[in-house]
Amino acid sequence: QVQLVESGGGSVEAGGSLRLSCVSSEVIASTKCMAWFRQAPGKEREGVVGLRNNGWTRHADSAEGRFTIFQDNATNTLYLQMSRLKVEDTAMYYCAAARDCKWWNLLKIDEYDYWGQGTQVTVSS
């Protein structure tokens, strides 16, 4: 059972930046796919950006050009660097991991086996 623990959420003004972290209990280099999802109040959970361990990434349109996903294999940590944040980015952000996945499904909830508890991001105007 893989355990994922997110941190780094908080409150920030629009236009600001935040970096989220997700520490995995498993060797992250051997995890085929990892991703960040988010869920705003009253909305469905949606994929933000995913990363396959061959380096391929997939971004939601809303994240393109503003959010970057990367990992540190030495510390088994996945990161989400968010910049130029908007009010509509306000949500609970979740880290997810999959033993295997298809690149085109990197942002699909059903592709993932393990989930963290989430970290709240609030962007104010």
Side-chain angles (χ1 to χ4, degrees), residues 41-62:
K43 294 190 176 181
E44 292 186 355
R45 191 170 297 190
E46 62 176 3
V48 177
V49 58
L51 170 68
R52 210 160 185 271
N53 66 354
N54 60 1
W56 292 355
T57 61
R58 194 170 180 89
H59 290 72
D61 289 345
S62 59

Side-chain angles (χ1 to χ4, degrees), residues 9-72:
S11 297
V12 63
E13 291 187 351
S17 299
L18 273 177
R19 178 178 290 187
L20 306 183
S21 301
C22 170
V23 179
S24 173
S25 62
E26 188 167 282
V27 175
I28 203 171
S30 64
T31 303
K32 208 60 169 287
C33 305
M34 297 197 74
W36 289 95
F37 288 76
R38 68 185 181 187
Q39 187 166 17
K43 294 190 176 181
E44 292 186 355
R45 191 170 297 190
E46 62 176 3
V48 177
V49 58
L51 170 68
R52 210 160 185 271
N53 66 354
N54 60 1
W56 292 355
T57 61
R58 194 170 180 89
H59 290 72
D61 289 345
S62 59
E64 193 73 58
R66 298 189 302 126
F67 293 4
T68 302
I69 188 171
F70 60 100
Q71 64 187 44
D72 180 346

